[in-house]
Amino acid sequence: MINQEKINKLLEKIESLKREQKMDLSSDEDLSIAIMNLVSLEEHFFFTGAKTGKEKYFDFVSKIREIRKELLKQIVKEPEGEIWCVSKHLLAATMRLIEVGQKYYAQNKRKEAENLFKKAYELYSLFWGINLKVIDIGEVKEIKENKINIHDEGKGDLMSKLNDLVQKLIDCCKE
């Protein structure tokens, strides 16, 4: 389990590794966005194949799936249980919420768009919380509401804590 002190030590370690150029979380962030798009491509080729009855689209699904699996292995290391699928679905749901939010935004439905964007970022933060092992999935049933883990004594809800942590860990604008 990770408490606030451990989170701070993790942040210090990551900053140190960034300085030594041994860790580039911004590249992992870019990779996660690419994976989101690959999942969307799988879905689009599937539906195109189903709607047109043309098998070639299902071949594309298989090829894209293999690429997505290869890339997801770079982020989801040593997955246990359902973590691989959970991670894939968190990214897929994030992507879909962003897309629907963008449609709402273009239709001047700003409140609905912002709500979906917030949910998308919460799911994306949950993805990173799981894959950076900030959240111990094994003890989720024992964790009280609004806590990252059983040692968390901070204020604020779980998703805002994860959002803040992801913002600190992954900053694509820092080179």
Side-chain angles (χ1 to χ4, degrees):
M1 303 305 290
I2 296 179
N3 59 24
Q4 189 62 44
E5 183 179 325
K6 288 184 180 180
I7 289 173
N8 291 338
K9 285 182 182 179
L10 175 66
L11 291 172
E12 288 172 17
K13 183 178 178 181
I14 288 170
E15 286 304 316
S16 172
L17 289 170
K18 281 181 178 179
R19 283 190 298 274
E20 296 170 18
Q21 295 185 342
K22 292 182 181 177
M23 178 181 259
D24 183 3
L25 285 176
S26 66
S27 291
D28 283 349
E29 182 182 30
D30 289 342
L31 189 58
S32 71
I33 303 297
I35 293 165
M36 284 185 213
N37 282 285
L38 289 169
V39 171
S40 288
L41 281 169
E42 287 178 67
E43 294 167 349
H44 285 299
F45 279 123
F46 166 77
F47 284 115
T48 300
K51 290 174 184 176
T52 65
K54 295 179 181 177
E55 279 190 40
K56 67 180 178 183
Y57 292 107
F58 298 124
D59 292 336
F60 291 138
V61 173
S62 296
K63 290 175 184 171
I64 291 168
R65 182 175 187 268
E66 290 306 313
I67 294 168
R68 190 247 316 141
K69 285 172 32 183
E70 178 186 327
L71 296 177
L72 195 56
K73 285 179 187 176
Q74 294 180 35
I75 298 176
V76 182
K77 297 176 173 81
E78 302 174 24
E80 62 182 13
E82 298 285 322
I83 297 304
W84 177 271
C85 287
V86 166
S87 296
K88 176 185 72 172
H89 291 292
L90 283 169
L91 290 177
T94 298
M95 184 66 166
R96 285 289 171 236
L97 289 174
I98 291 169
E99 287 185 351
V100 175
Q102 289 170 333
K103 289 177 184 177
Y104 282 165
Y105 197 83
Q107 296 168 2
N108 210 25
K109 297 178 181 178
R110 304 298 166 121
K111 187 174 182 178
E112 294 90 337
E114 289 173 10
N115 182 40
L116 292 180
F117 292 152
K118 180 179 182 240
K119 287 177 177 17
Y121 194 73
E122 288 174 348
L123 292 178
Y124 188 65
S125 296
L126 185 57
F127 166 83
W128 283 110
I130 290 169
N131 285 289
L132 291 173
K133 301 193 184 321
V134 173
I135 299 173
D136 184 349
I137 297 300
E139 296 189 31
V140 167
K141 292 179 183 176
E142 299 174 21
I143 298 173
K144 293 184 179 177
E145 191 174 336
N146 298 332
K147 298 189 180 273
I148 290 177
N149 57 48
I150 60 175
H151 303 289
D152 181 5
E153 295 177 13
K155 300 198 187 273
D157 68 7
L158 172 65
M159 295 315 294
S160 67
K161 290 175 188 178
L162 284 173
N163 292 350
D164 291 346
L165 183 61
V166 168
Q167 282 184 326
K168 291 175 185 173
L169 292 174
I170 302 172
D171 185 348
C172 66
C173 297
K174 290 183 182 174
E175 298 275 336

